[in-house]
């Protein structure tokens, strides 16, 4: 543990590199194992890896197991995090791979090695891009955010943003009148996840997954809020159990749930 430089001296195939390493009991036998995240570089001098794989060393038997994350797992230097998400004795593995795209989007994979073989429990189709929203600007500087997954609607008040007065004359001058009348229909967007973290909210030793999605209107850099989904392992699968929608930098952490 905490000796990455020694791990990086391991011999790898050409154009492969160790991007991260963690130590923990991922097989559930009570003995710490070693998990490597290995990327295959797009080019010898590139920081981008066109594909990633997980290599698990079972430290009880010294057996080595490899799991490819597939041809869609390209990204920049990734990160490994361990946490007990499922109900097994083993710690699960969360892999984050920054895409380098606009919005800081990161692809996430949740992996279990509880049966001795690495298995993907959830991938980017759920953790990164699995939420579906409808965002609409309304009269009185309000923004309606509807989530299709949970069938809930939230309302954000642009006037509560610290920078609203400046934005009124610059960002929204062609969209709202000074009195708050919407001059033309305007839709907003919610980005795929920029971060997913493991957190033991209840103190029961089981971690939930919390995602962070940027909400924006008018143009991409105009982020007005954050959507935070909460995922929990239930009945042998990862399920979305709650969603928080809030203004960015707002003192009121949660948006008003209207439906």
């Amino acid at each position: 543990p905490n000796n990455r430089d020694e791990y990086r001296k391991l011999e790898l195939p050409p154009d492969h590199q160790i991007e991260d390493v963690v130590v923990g009991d991922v097989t559930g036998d009570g003995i710490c194992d070693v998990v490597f995240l290995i990327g295959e570089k797009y080019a010898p001098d590139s920081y981008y890896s066109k594909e990633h794989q997980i290599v698990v060393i079972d430290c009880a038997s010294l057996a080595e197991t490899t799991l490819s994350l597939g041809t869609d797992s390209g990204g920049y230097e990734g990160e490994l995090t361990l946490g007990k998400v499922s109900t097994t004795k083993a710690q699960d593995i969360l892999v984050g791979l920054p895409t380098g795209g606009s919005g800081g989007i990161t692809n996430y994979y949740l992996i279990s090695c509880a049966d001795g073989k690495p298995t993907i429990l959830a991938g980017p189709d759920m953790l990164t891009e699995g939420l579906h929203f409808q965002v609409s600007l309304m009269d009185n500087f309000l923004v309606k955010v509807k989530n299709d997954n949970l069938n809930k609607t939230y309302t954000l008040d642009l006037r509560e943003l610290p920078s609203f007065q400046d934005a009124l004359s610059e960002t929204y001058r062609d969209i709202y009148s000074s009195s708050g009348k919407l001059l033309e229909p305007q839709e907003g967007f919610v980005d795929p996840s920029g971060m997913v973290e493991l957190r033991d909210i209840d103190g029961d030793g089981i971690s939930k997954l919390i995602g962070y999605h940027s909400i924006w209107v008018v143009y991409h850099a105009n982020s007005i809020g954050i959507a935070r989904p909460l995922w929990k392992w239930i009945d042998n699968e990862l399920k979305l159990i709650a969603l928080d929608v809030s203004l960015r930098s707002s003192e009121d952490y949660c948006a008003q749930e209207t439906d």
Side-chain angles (χ1 to χ4, degrees):
N2 304 318
N3 197 357
R4 280 175 141 201
D5 291 339
E6 290 300 318
Y7 287 127
R8 292 184 190 277
K9 294 177 183 178
L10 295 175
E11 292 187 7
L12 296 172
D15 297 334
H16 286 65
Q17 63 177 351
I18 296 174
E19 296 184 359
D20 201 6
V21 58
V22 289
V23 176
D25 180 15
V26 298
T27 58
D29 58 5
I31 300 175
C32 283
D33 310 294
V34 183
V35 183
F36 297 96
L37 174 62
I38 296 177
E40 181 182 359
K41 291 184 178 182
Y42 180 78
D45 58 349
S46 174
Y47 292 102
Y48 185 89
S49 292
K50 60 182 180 181
E51 190 171 342
H52 287 83
Q53 57 185 314
I54 295 294
V55 177
V56 179
I57 307 296
D58 184 336
C59 287
S61 63
L62 296 185
E64 177 181 314
T65 308
T66 300
L67 171 68
S68 172
L69 298 183
T71 56
D72 294 331
S73 63
Y76 291 88
E77 184 168 323
E79 183 178 16
L80 299 173
T81 307
L82 298 183
K84 191 174 293 185
V85 177
S86 59
T87 55
T88 67
K89 295 181 180 180
Q91 289 186 298
D92 299 298
I93 306 165
L94 182 65
V95 185
L97 301 174
T99 65
S102 177
I105 296 169
T106 302
N107 284 328
Y108 283 92
Y109 299 79
L110 181 65
I111 298 171
S112 171
C113 298
D115 60 357
K117 180 181 179 181
T119 302
I120 298 176
L121 302 179
D125 56 336
M126 175 182 289
L127 298 175
T128 304
E129 301 179 352
L131 296 185
H132 302 283
F133 293 91
Q134 300 171 39
V135 182
S136 303
L137 274 70
M138 304 168 61
D139 287 340
N140 300 317
F141 305 110
L142 299 179
V143 179
K144 182 175 69 175
V145 181
K146 183 180 184 299
N147 174 251
D148 297 332
N149 305 73
L150 296 178
N151 194 27
K152 289 186 176 181
T153 301
Y154 303 82
T155 300
L156 300 175
D157 191 336
L158 294 174
R159 292 168 295 187
E160 296 180 8
L161 289 169
S163 58
F164 173 72
Q165 291 302 324
D166 292 335
L168 182 59
S169 60
E170 297 178 6
T171 304
Y172 305 112
R173 60 185 179 183
D174 297 325
I175 298 172
Y176 281 108
S177 70
S178 58
S179 63
K181 179 67 175 178
L182 187 66
L183 302 178
E184 60 181 35
Q186 184 79 28
E187 301 297 314
F189 299 89
V190 179
D191 281 339
S193 184
M195 183 176 72
V196 173
E197 64 174 344
L198 298 174
R199 186 184 299 178
D200 181 3
I201 298 174
D202 305 323
D204 59 359
I206 304 297
S207 293
K208 314 287 193 305
L209 276 72
I210 303 176
Y212 294 82
H213 299 253
S214 177
I215 304 169
W216 57 276
V217 296
V218 186
Y219 58 89
H220 197 194
N222 186 45
S223 177
I224 64 166
I226 301 175
R228 299 176 179 85
L230 181 65
W231 307 87
K232 180 180 180 181
W233 189 259
I234 303 174
D235 297 332
N236 293 319
E237 64 177 328
L238 198 63
K239 294 184 179 181
L240 178 67
I241 61 170
L243 176 67
D244 167 69
V245 175
S246 64
L247 282 172
R248 186 175 293 275
S249 302
S250 172
E251 293 181 1
D252 182 9
Y253 183 82
C254 296
Q256 175 188 2
E257 184 179 320
T258 58
D259 186 13

